[in-house]
Amino acid sequence: LRRIGMFSRSLGVPTTEPEMLEEIARQGCNIAGAAVVMTAQGEDLNIRAAAPPIDTLDDAAWAAARWAYGKQEQAGKGTGTLPSSPWRFLPMRTVRGPVGLLGLRPDGDVDHPLMQALAALADQAAVAMERVRLANDAARSAAHEETQKLRTALLSSLSHDLRTPLAGIRGAASTLREAWGDLDATTRDDLLGSIEDDIGRMTRFLANILDMTRLETGEIAPRIAAVALPEAIEAAIARVPGAAHVGVDLPAGLPRAAADPALLEQVLVNLLDNAVKYSPSGGIISVSARLIGDRVALSIADEGVGITPDDLPYVFDSFYRARRQDRVGPGTGLGLAIARGLMEAMGGTIEAQSPRPDAPADGAPGTMITLTLPMAI
């Protein structure tokens, strides 16, 4: 019982199949001096772990191993099947079927106490292997389900966020083609301007999809440098339609931040675009900064309707769009997810607060997004 309990404890720690196989081999080695763990590979067996390490077995041992796995009975040393082999092979199986084969090379005779220990190890190892495989199957199933959810969200977003600007472009282009001579210059300019705006929306949407794909595949490699935050903020403001009125309040002597200049600018663009999107007409958007130890904190705050407590934990998830005043917000739900991915790639953090800490008691709750980055050395 003590040995079974020891096996159970030691085999309960590994969480991956390779780790589990190594632990089974170690435990077998402790009992018999040498052990191998084998699993089926097609119609043959493959050595997956060994203690001490070995690459192959002699012909007699391979014959005993194949017989033991095929018949699901013990074979080799101390048995009636191929006893000339120095190895003894025990099937590892559960009620669901075989999971592998445990091979041991005892230094002496295979007596009853040794056989009890070997059988207990094989039984415990089979249960542990099945547990790990079931956990891995569950993880793969969950990952597949999450992938399907993201794919569905992407297709839904594509159908909406591309269809709307395309309809606008088609309508404006059709009007210009059919009634060019009947339209005054101002109307023609307005229609052309709407086409340009819709093309810009589509371009930003597709750029977000590309950025998200690059983040998830690890293609983005930050080039960290000392970044002057005032220049990065002004560059981002210039890229966001409707952000010209954003107020910037930075302390004198603010140190440079360690970041990738292009990636940080993109983060700020995404956050400012989000603030503009959810701010009421005439609402104030402010950018401020402060030092927190050896890090620089940069905050973007708006006076919008804020984010509900139910939505707040998920605002940085891909394709998540919070509800604002009983309606789902516009956009793809990628802007904040990309901002988080880029910040993490640069060694920074990002968090959202709503209501904003300085929101007036009689005013809109607003939202504050805060970035932190290391100070440049």
Side-chain angles (χ1 to χ4, degrees):
L1 290 177
R2 182 182 63 82
R3 190 181 289 275
I4 292 174
M6 180 187 69
F7 290 155
S8 180
R9 287 191 297 273
S10 62
L11 298 180
V13 175
T15 57
T16 67
E17 185 166 319
E19 291 174 348
M20 180 62 71
L21 294 167
E22 292 292 339
E23 183 60 31
I24 294 170
R26 278 194 293 271
Q27 293 297 323
C29 181
N30 290 340
I31 299 173
V36 294
V37 184
M38 312 170 84
T39 58
Q41 185 180 35
E43 297 181 355
D44 207 350
L45 293 169
N46 182 35
I47 296 176
R48 298 286 304 282
I54 59 172
D55 294 326
T56 189
L57 301 170
D58 59 37
D59 291 343
W62 274 116
R66 293 185 178 107
W67 194 95
Y69 190 81
K71 300 293 185 179
Q72 286 295 293
E73 296 179 13
Q74 294 189 31
K77 185 174 183 177
T79 72
T81 303
L82 300 172
S84 61
S85 169
W87 290 82
R88 186 180 185 112
F89 295 95
L90 296 83
M92 297 189 300
R93 59 179 178 268
T94 68
V95 293
R96 298 181 65 191
V99 296
L101 193 68
L102 175 63
L104 302 116
R105 190 177 60 195
D107 294 328
D109 294 334
V110 182
D111 55 20
H112 184 67
L114 179 61
M115 269 311 307
Q116 285 185 315
L118 297 182
L121 175 58
D123 290 342
Q124 291 287 317
V127 172
M129 282 285 292
E130 185 171 72
R131 171 181 61 80
V132 168
R133 288 179 176 178
L134 288 173
N136 290 340
D137 289 344
R140 281 193 293 269
S141 177
H144 177 72
E145 182 179 349
E146 186 64 23
T147 299
Q148 290 299 108
K149 288 181 180 178
L150 287 176
R151 183 178 290 115
T152 300
L154 173 58
L155 292 174
S156 174
S157 194
L158 278 169
S159 66
H160 177 272
D161 292 281
L162 290 182
R163 182 187 299 150
T164 302
L166 281 172
I169 292 170
R170 175 177 290 182
S174 177
T175 301
L176 288 169
R177 176 185 290 276
E178 295 172 2
W180 180 272
D182 298 328
L183 301 175
D184 57 43
T186 300
T187 302
R188 288 197 295 266
D189 286 343
D190 287 344
L191 290 171
L192 290 170
S194 71
I195 291 174
E196 290 177 341
D197 290 342
D198 283 334
I199 290 174
R201 288 175 59 190
M202 292 173 61
T203 301
R204 288 193 296 274
F205 173 76
L206 294 173
N208 277 342
I209 294 292
L210 178 61
D211 285 343
M212 202 70 232
T213 302
R214 293 173 63 206
L215 276 170
E216 292 179 347
T217 56
E219 292 181 18
I220 292 180
R223 298 180 179 180
I224 305 299
V227 178
L229 293 179
E231 284 90 343
I233 294 167
E234 292 302 325
I237 290 174
R239 289 176 53 190
V240 179
H245 65 287
V246 170
V248 180
D249 182 18
L250 304 180
L254 183 68
R256 294 174 179 253
D260 182 304
L263 299 187
L264 178 58
E265 183 180 320
Q266 185 60 52
V267 169
L268 294 173
V269 166
N270 288 10
L271 299 183
L272 289 169
D273 183 63
N274 206 61
V276 169
K277 188 183 302 176
Y278 291 114
S279 290
S281 178
I284 297 174
I285 299 172
S286 60
V287 180
S288 60
R290 67 188 187 280
L291 292 179
I292 303 178
D294 60 351
R295 299 178 74 84
V296 182
L298 193 62
S299 298
I300 295 91
D302 64 53
E303 295 182 337
V305 295
I307 305 170
T308 68
D310 290 339
D311 286 320
L312 195 58
Y314 308 105
V315 293
F316 295 106
D317 291 350
S318 297
F319 298 106
Y320 191 85
R321 290 185 281 188
R323 299 190 66 87
R324 313 282 177 129
Q325 294 181 330
D326 298 325
R327 64 184 178 88
V328 177
T332 63
L334 284 176
L336 292 181
I338 291 170
R340 179 178 66 177
L342 295 179
M343 288 301 297
E344 291 176 350
M346 292 186 289
T349 65
I350 184 170
E351 66 174 0
Q353 292 174 279
S354 187
R356 51 189 282 183
D358 58 349
D362 58 348
T367 301
M368 177 181 286
I369 307 288
T370 300
L371 317 173
T372 70
L373 285 163
M375 287 191 298
I377 299 176

